[in-house]
Amino acid sequence: MSATQPRTVTNWSGNVTFGAREFAAPASVSELQGVVARGRQVRALGTAHSFNDIADTPGTLVSVTKLPPVVEVDSAAATVRVAAGLPYSDVVGPVERAGFALPNLASLPHVSVGGSVVTGTHGSGVRNGCLSTSVAALDLVTADGDLVTLARETHPREFEGAVVNLGALGVVTSVTLDLVPTFAMRQRVYEGLPLEVLDAHFAELVAGAYSVCLFTDWRGPRLTQVWVNQRIGDPDPTVVHEPWFTAVPADGPRHPVDGLDATCCTQQLGVIGRWHERLSHFRPDAVPSAGDELQSEYLLATQDAPAALRALDLVRERLAPVLHICEVRTVAADRLWLSPAQGRDSVSIHFTWTSDLDAVLPVVRLVEDVLTPFAARPHWAKVYTTAPDVVRSHYPKLPDFVDLVHAYDPHGKFTNEHLRRCIDADRSTHC
């Protein structure tokens, strides 16, 4: 049995030092059950790719990365059951060899499946939901140490609330994901599209291929790059031939941040590869960053994207000095109660900031002020200062989620300060 011991643990970027008295890395589910059953306050940790205190606890911080690395493809059901602590990079190979694919991937293949799912992380594509929408079932250890399976088919009432659960229902040990037939893709990068083009052509541009990602450094009124990922077998992206599409094809591999080495990026220039070799921006065998950055992200209705980007352009002189890159992606609407794309086709505006928190926070507040008219929902695991009552107002099913939390964790073992602030997790008729 792995020892439970105090130690200093930080998140991926190092801007959060967890305050846990104990750290546990159980090597089996049964060992995890014992740790959870004994703990008074518990939070789970995957690859720690978070930028706020959502995973923190004063009690026991439990890493799920040492659990058995299960990847079990069920070809008949077209699903794969994977250990929650595995990064997507460890899952895609077995899935591809079985003749299947995941519908989408995040920009980084290094993030854990469990952490991505419970926070509503996403890739891009107007017809692609967030990664959580692929979940068919969750296995989790609840407050008493019981192992529970919540499945779409067997728990239809609470399932839509249980997937994006912010770690509030228990420690997720494995996730069953829906699969699609494998497919190939090609990726091309274009440079220098004027921002004004988006006023009339944003919807057309982002729907132009299976996955489209837009980048700007806000140093001028233009998109620095447009990444177009075409699925082989789909029609060629005609959008890049429209008269208004004045961006030019990149003459070599590009990193999203202009001037940085692109060797860590997935292959571009239209070279055909498998889905998992193109959907992420970065190769799994190359770490794109040492974590010397902060990240914020906000999701708003797709139809509001042109106006929101125009509003941000008005303050770009404040954004650029503390910004590495800003990325704009699309996410299809879903029914998951706490998904940032719940109930509306969404556009995400993602900011990769410098690591200077004192300089970044005032700009984060400015961004939030600019995006207030668009009911922007912050990503649960990234830097944001949006008032808790405003965050709560964006989620009509939040009261149902709080009831679900109290049904599975009546004494608040998995609740922490972040959840108390942002979802009012202590509110309950049971209190």
Side-chain angles (χ1 to χ4, degrees):
M1 176 174 178
S2 66
T4 300
Q5 55 187 331
R7 52 178 283 192
T8 300
V9 181
T10 67
N11 66 336
W12 181 76
S13 65
N15 70 302
V16 174
T17 298
F18 297 111
R21 290 188 299 270
E22 297 179 314
F23 177 84
S28 68
V29 172
S30 61
E31 185 180 338
L32 170 62
Q33 290 177 270
V35 170
V36 171
R38 291 190 300 271
R40 293 185 61 188
Q41 294 172 291
V42 178
R43 291 292 287 172
L45 192 66
T47 47
H49 195 265
S50 57
F51 296 84
N52 61 36
D53 60 351
I54 193 169
D56 202 8
T57 178
T60 303
L61 193 62
V62 180
S63 171
V64 295
T65 60
K66 302 302 182 184
L67 295 177
V70 174
V71 182
E72 298 174 344
V73 176
D74 184 335
S75 296
T79 61
V80 60
R81 179 174 171 267
V82 304
L86 286 180
Y88 279 90
S89 55
D90 286 358
V91 175
V92 296
V95 167
E96 166 67 18
R97 288 191 291 274
F100 292 99
L102 296 169
N104 214 344
L105 293 170
S107 297
L108 287 174
H110 313 80
V111 296
S112 68
V113 174
S116 299
V117 162
V118 303
T119 58
T121 297
H122 59 88
S124 191
V126 295
R127 288 172 290 278
N128 298 322
C130 71
L131 304 184
S132 316
T133 59
S134 291
V135 175
L138 294 168
D139 297 317
L140 69 159
V141 175
T142 56
D144 292 333
D146 296 330
L147 184 62
V148 173
T149 299
L150 296 175
R152 184 190 298 133
E153 299 300 325
T154 59
H155 296 78
R157 188 187 67 81
E158 66 250 53
F159 184 76
E160 291 176 351
V163 179
V164 182
N165 64 57
L166 311 183
L169 303 184
V171 178
V172 178
T173 62
S174 63
V175 180
T176 300
L177 302 171
D178 295 325
L179 300 175
V180 297
T182 186
F183 57 94
M185 304 193 79
R186 60 163 51 99
Q187 180 170 238
R188 291 188 172 95
V189 176
Y190 300 84
E191 298 179 297
L193 187 67
L195 197 66
E196 63 186 20
V197 166
L198 303 185
D199 289 344
H201 300 290
F202 179 84
E204 185 180 356
L205 176 60
V206 295
Y210 188 86
S211 173
V212 175
C213 305
L214 316 178
F215 294 92
T216 178
D217 56 15
W218 290 117
R219 285 162 175 79
R222 84 258 186 258
L223 298 176
T224 52
Q225 297 177 13
V226 178
W227 290 38
V228 178
N229 285 344
Q230 175 196 4
R231 184 172 58 178
I232 302 304
D234 289 350
D236 287 340
T238 58
V239 67
V240 301
H241 303 298
E242 294 292 338
W244 55 264
F245 190 84
T246 56
V248 298
D251 60 5
R254 293 292 189 267
H255 190 286
V257 180
D258 280 349
L260 292 189
D261 187 356
T263 56
C264 61
C265 296
T266 48
Q267 195 166 12
Q268 303 159 21
L269 300 173
V271 178
I272 294 176
R274 307 310 302 168
W275 56 278
H276 58 91
E277 298 170 328
R278 298 294 180 270
L279 282 172
S280 293
H281 297 335
F282 300 100
R283 301 195 339 253
D285 59 339
V287 179
S289 166
D292 188 22
E293 64 189 47
L294 299 169
Q295 294 182 12
S296 300
E297 184 174 25
Y298 303 90
L299 281 84
L300 48 120
T302 301
Q303 65 264 26
D304 290 333
L309 293 170
R310 284 198 305 272
L312 289 169
D313 185 50
L314 295 177
V315 297
R316 56 184 160 85
E317 291 184 358
R318 293 281 307 279
L319 306 181
V322 294
L323 182 70
H324 289 306
I325 199 67
C326 175
E327 181 178 12
V328 180
R329 291 175 289 174
T330 54
V331 190
D334 61 56
R335 297 169 56 89
L336 306 177
W337 295 354
L338 293 194
S339 165
Q342 189 274 332
R344 65 187 188 188
D345 290 332
S346 297
V347 163
S348 78
I349 305 178
H350 183 284
F351 301 86
T352 301
W353 309 108
T354 67
S355 59
D356 185 346
L357 184 61
D358 290 339
V360 165
L361 277 180
V363 182
V364 168
R365 295 188 186 100
L366 173 64
V367 167
E368 291 170 351
D369 288 344
V370 168
L371 296 181
T372 293
F374 308 107
R377 296 167 175 167
H379 189 292
W380 291 108
K382 301 191 177 181
V383 174
Y384 66 94
T385 67
T386 309
D389 61 325
V390 175
V391 174
R392 292 194 289 269
S393 72
H394 293 324
Y395 293 93
K397 297 289 288 184
L398 184 61
D400 295 321
F401 180 75
V402 173
D403 289 341
L404 186 64
V405 170
H406 283 279
Y408 279 86
D409 184 22
H411 302 295
K413 178 175 288 192
F414 301 110
T415 293
N416 66 357
E417 184 57 33
H418 191 101
L419 300 187
R420 291 187 186 95
R421 286 196 312 268
C422 295
I423 70 167
D424 197 16
D426 284 337
R427 181 200 64 79
S428 174
T429 56
H430 304 294
C431 292

